[in-house]
Amino acid sequence: LLLGVLGGCVERRVGVRGRYSGKSAMRFRETMGRNLGRIGQVFAELREGDQVEVFGMKRLKDWEGKKGRVVGQEAGTPKVLVMFADQQVPLAMSPERLRRVQDAPAKPSGELQVGDRARIVGMKRLKQYEGKEGEVVEVLGDSGRVKIKLGSEELAVKKELLQITANAPRSAADIDLSSLPVGSVELPTSDKEGRVFLLGIAHDDPNSVKSAREVVEQIQPSNLMVELCWERVPLLMDPPVPPDARTQFMCPEIQFQFLPGKLHGTPSESEILNLLKVRPNSVFTSSEVFEDAKRLVATRKFRRVIPIFEAPIAGTMPSFLPSDPTQENFATQVNPVGTLTWRLETAEVDPEGLAQRIYGLHTYVFRDIAHSVLQVRADSEGIDLPPAIADNPIDPSMEAFSEAAESESVVEAPTQEESTDGASELGAAVVQPWMQMQSLSQQRAGVVPGEAYRAALSEAARAGVQRVILGDQPQFITRQRLGEVTASMSEEDALEGVQTQVELATMDVEIKQEMMKEYIGSIATSEDEATLESEWDDPILLERDSYMTNVLWSAFHGEKYENEDPNIVPCFTRSSGDRLEFEFAPTQTLSTQTGTGKTTVAIVGANHLPGIRAFW
């Protein structure tokens, strides 16, 4: 339709002005059509993990033909973040300068059925429901309508006003293992219980990012477990960039403060609240707060209107919303803030009296302070978490948050001291160079740390996954074990391990990707007892395999495995508002579905496949 309309406009323009005629006009129309087609192509949905190529660069010609990988979207602009092999950080690129090397998998579409997730689009009368997403709970016969559940309410909506964002969960019996990505393994269960799948990946392989997304999209499991722990929660969060007009927030409470006090004719608090779009526990942006301020000024009952936000409640973590598959590429991070207080100065003045500023509404860069926030959260729930290794530890106290709100910047606190235990210190010292080698390897491959798990989380948010479980052993335990093992090693053995990491990090990227694909495929399909045993030479790997197997068992069976660790598992659980919200969940409560249709997927490093299979 767009091509036809614009083509007609071009013809009319050519006919009236007479600039082109005959073959010239034909060539002009053909060129215009090609350009429009190219625009349609480059503005098609770019998704996290896509391989893209730069084209059409006129000034920076050295960038022409350069290939990279989409790793995010720049907040507040249509630009996408692309990781190039020779760059240390992702670069923001205009989508019209990017050509997708390989199309992203098509999103689910077709006839609506019970269990599908859909978003309301084009609602004209009941505009408050525009953009809302929920689950189809009933198809209303031949009426052309379906009943969709939006939080606590149900609404009958015409089918043409609904856009499918995720198909109904697949029956466990319908899943074909051979159609899943390379590295997929099924663990044995009884037929009446459902099915459990593993996916082995490489942390510095762009193909693994694609596989992680595809396995969640194809299976649409009830639960998803990833090889992360509470210390690695920041890998799932947005990059630490300043907030903008599109940054999403949520506040728990709204209050009103009348200065110097209520006058005759001042609206009641309930009347004022009915004027506002920003409500308690609703998702909003700064622009929507400004619109609410304008509505209040338009009543001509207030001389000045100032919205003031308090700091987030201690221990509150961001949540994630499913993104629009036609517009957004990644799960939307919702940042918590504290109580919103509207300071209303009572007088009748011209609307120009609005103060164009919002006090206290800015993102505390949660990716930087996640460790401290989680420790406050754990303390409030009686959970003992030791200090995490963080580049920039932040004081989690409310005093620090208050100072940050006043200065509109995050206040750094003194560095937290790691445990004085010698093994932990040695383990931390060994981890640092290993992480540097892995970071170098990821940079050369165009992959950002944790990208495969972030891609899986994004697809889980869209697919209606009920719980994303962080099932790996906490890093502080691994550091302890690593220090103990390193202390017992000879200098030659220690140097050999470092040399191996250097060789892997500096290997030719394409050769390494082919090697990793072959390795993942072979280790996933191997039934050789010797191969399984050889993977157990590493006691640290063995301990983590056992830990993750226990968590996976609990996630599927809904009960703790005997008396084995852990008792509490960090996870993101789907709330009534369709958000994935952080919680520390008791192990025996991890399972979210029963019956023959339940499926659980675990995404882990390929080296963990043999151990988990054997423990299972």
Side-chain angles (χ1 to χ4, degrees), residues 386-439:
I389 292 181
D391 294 331
N392 298 301
I394 303 298
D395 182 0
S397 66
M398 293 311 297
E399 288 78 12
F401 275 121
S402 299
E403 293 175 10
E406 293 175 3
S407 63
E408 302 205 353
S409 63
V410 176
V411 180
E412 294 190 7
T415 304
Q416 297 177 3
E417 294 294 328
E418 186 58 61
S419 169
T420 57
D421 182 85
S424 296
E425 291 182 351
L426 180 57
V430 173
V431 165
Q432 288 300 331
W434 180 84
M435 292 179 65
Q436 290 175 353
M437 287 297 100
Q438 187 176 62
S439 177

Side-chain angles (χ1 to χ4, degrees), residues 44 73 79 106 127 183 218 290 333 335 441 493 525 555:
Q73 183 168 8
K79 293 184 177 181
K127 293 185 178 181
Q218 291 182 40
F290 274 126
Q333 181 172 311
N335 301 286
S441 181
D493 290 340
T525 57

